[in-house]
Amino acid sequence: QVQLVESGGGLVQPGGSLRLSCVASGFTFSLYAMTWYRQAPGKERELVAHISSFGLSTNYADSVKGRFTISRDNAKNTMYLQMNSLKPEDTAVYYCNVKLRDDFWGQGTQVTVSS
């Protein structure tokens, strides 16, 4: 069955960095685009970054452009999100997503940016 497992979240001070990982299984990872979403308390889930199946195309939310970098290693069935210059407004649960015939989500990893 499809599984997505995120890791790498934590507490970081403003201006700091974190790298999130999403390990995928149960489908042919290299054939599918992947997406990072986030959901802050009291807010709707929003798209953060998207990467094509071979990583040749990426897209970002305006709020993270220039600070976050999405990447993937198809040999490791893993997607990453490098987050630099973190701000308090980046605080959220971060989820990875893949759209097969249905949408599949990981359990999420908490990112808290606070001094």
Side-chain angles (χ1 to χ4, degrees):
Q1 69 278 24
V2 174
Q3 281 196 312
L4 300 171
V5 180
E6 302 97 334
S7 62
L11 173 64
V12 63
Q13 291 187 341
S17 297
L18 284 174
R19 189 175 84 151
L20 306 184
S21 299
C22 171
V23 178
S25 61
F27 64 102
T28 306
F29 181 75
S30 61
L31 295 183
Y32 292 92
M34 299 288 296
T35 309
W36 284 103
Y37 286 82
R38 68 185 180 186
Q39 188 166 20
K43 294 189 176 181
E44 293 188 356
R45 194 170 294 189
E46 63 173 352
L47 187 149
V48 176
H50 176 84
I51 188 166
S52 62
S53 59
F54 288 99
L56 298 180
S57 175
T58 58
N59 292 287
Y60 297 91
D62 287 343
S63 58
V64 307
K65 279 181 183 176
R67 300 188 298 121
F68 290 11
T69 302
I70 189 171
S71 62
R72 64 191 294 161
D73 184 339
N74 285 348
K76 296 182 178 179
N77 285 4
T78 302
M79 174 177 68
Y80 304 98
L81 186 67
Q82 178 66 43
M83 306 186 295
N84 298 329
S85 303
L86 282 161
K87 304 176 181 180
E89 51 264 44
D90 295 318
T91 295
V93 179
Y94 285 70
Y95 299 90
C96 60
N97 167 271
V98 65
K99 290 177 173 54
L100 306 179
R101 280 191 298 179
D102 296 317
D103 263 321
F104 290 90
W105 300 88
Q107 83 288 352
T109 185
Q110 175 71 48
V111 171
T112 303
V113 185
S114 175
S115 54

